[in-house]
Amino acid sequence: MFVQFTTWDIVRNLLDAGKWTLALSLIAFVLGGIVGLAILFARISKNRALQAFTKGYIEVFQGTPLLMQLFIVFFGLSLLGIDVSPWLAAAAGLTLFTSAYLAEIWRGCVEAVPKGQWEASSSLALSYAQQMRHVILPQALRIAVAPTVGFSVQVVKGTAVTSIIGFAELTKTGSMLANATFQPFMVFGLVAAGYFALCYPLSLYAKSLERKFHVAR
Amino acid sequence: MAYQFDFAPVFDNADLLLSGAGFTLALTAVGAVFGIGLGILGAICRAWKLAPFDRIFGVYVEVIRNTPFLVQLFFIFFGLPSLGVKMTEWQAAVLAMVINLGAYSTEIIRAGIQATPRGQIEAAESLALTRSQIFRHVVLRPALAKVWPALTSQVIIVMLGSAVCSQIATEELTFAANFIQSRNFRAFETYFVTTAIYFAMALLIRQLLIQVGQGYVVGRAR
């Protein structure tokens, strides 16, 4: 049974698959942000063991390929007796990946808050939690906005790798369409255009945020 | 949990993993040299606004930085042959790595060049240095020295990203891992060991580039 694909069929299928790329990106970014925040607090805590553990966590995720992380989650979870769908493995793997990078980006932002702010707030007899909440984090947050938006581009691009463990997002659908239509040049061109349409606005926004905060400082 | 870990079938294939790792390192080395070369060229065009190349490099940088490496690889390997450009798996992999790293290093090196104070160039001119001498000693070397850590990280990111080249059957480390696990069905153990090898290679490349940087780039720039 042969199906003839018109250009519109290809575009329609890719747009449909784009929704999964978008959904996966959002999930990875939100969950990764939550896990990343926990990692961040452990990383900057005064507990040596927590510091060492989270340092190792970040180094491992930044020093190994995303594809390997996905493979290990995919095959590792199934060893634990959990039935893993590509969807679950993709979301879990990308969440871990995102959390490590965001924790490291945000640590830089916390450390960029001048030392004097810590000293001033502790001389006002604020507790550690109060210092964090009222003095350090509000300032770190301002610094963190631009690089965080910038990193979201990496998350969107990272979702492409999940096609390899069989998650049918934009790249996977592109591969299948290229095989079915024998028009790889156009199909992968359109796939690239799809990612560009998602990522370029984010890049521009990150750049404008960066400029805004630099001027403000 | 009844699963018994067994790493023996993985280590039985150590030679395959080693040759795969060697292939990954070779890809990375070629990709790094030509990618950074392309980046220097792009940075010059962008920093000095050499029309029309500044525009061309501007578009190139944005397109590459806002699309996934895997899609770039597929476009080159599956897409270009329909235009009559045919290449082998490893040529496509190297080309994709060079193009990818070229875009990132254009931006990184440009930042370094633009950080060179105007006065340094004027001082060099007043010492009657030629344009090419000024460029080599006053602009490029200090710029590279400034951004060397960022370039190092980018080379490592490209090395790790090359794992997806296994998808076009480039016989690098991940390809070897896929091959081994399809024989012994020890998927977790195989990918665990492979991940450890990638991690070791990332550490190795970082140390190596720090040494190279101190020996040849940062050292002489001072």
Side-chain angles (χ1 to χ4, degrees), chain A residues 59-60 62-69 71-72 75-76 79-80 101 153-154 156-157 160-161 163-164 171 175 184-185 188-189 191-193 195-196 199-200 203 207, chain B residues 1 3 5 62-68 70-71 74-75 78-80 82-83 104 156 160 163-164 166-167 174 177-178 181 187-189 191-192 194-195 198-199 202:
Chain A
E59 271 180 19
V60 164
Q62 294 194 339
T64 57
L66 176 58
L67 179 58
M68 286 297 124
Q69 295 162 18
F71 278 155
I72 287 193
F75 294 107
L79 289 191
L80 296 175
Y101 278 83
V153 174
Q154 309 295 328
V156 176
K157 289 193 295 175
V161 178
S163 66
I164 298 174
T171 307
S175 297
F185 187 79
F188 286 119
V191 169
Y195 283 103
F196 190 80
C199 294
Y200 190 56
S203 295
K207 215 182 253 177
Chain B
M1 201 187 91
Y3 189 80
F5 287 101
E62 291 302 341
V63 167
I64 297 301
R65 292 207 308 175
N66 288 298
T67 51
L70 181 60
V71 175
F74 281 170
F75 186 80
F78 297 118
L80 289 188
S82 60
L83 293 186
Y104 284 92
I156 292 171
L160 298 174
V164 303
S166 57
Q167 293 305 299
T174 304
N178 287 338
Q181 78 90 20
F188 183 79
E189 288 91 331
Y191 291 124
F192 189 83
T194 310
T195 306
Y198 272 111
F199 192 54

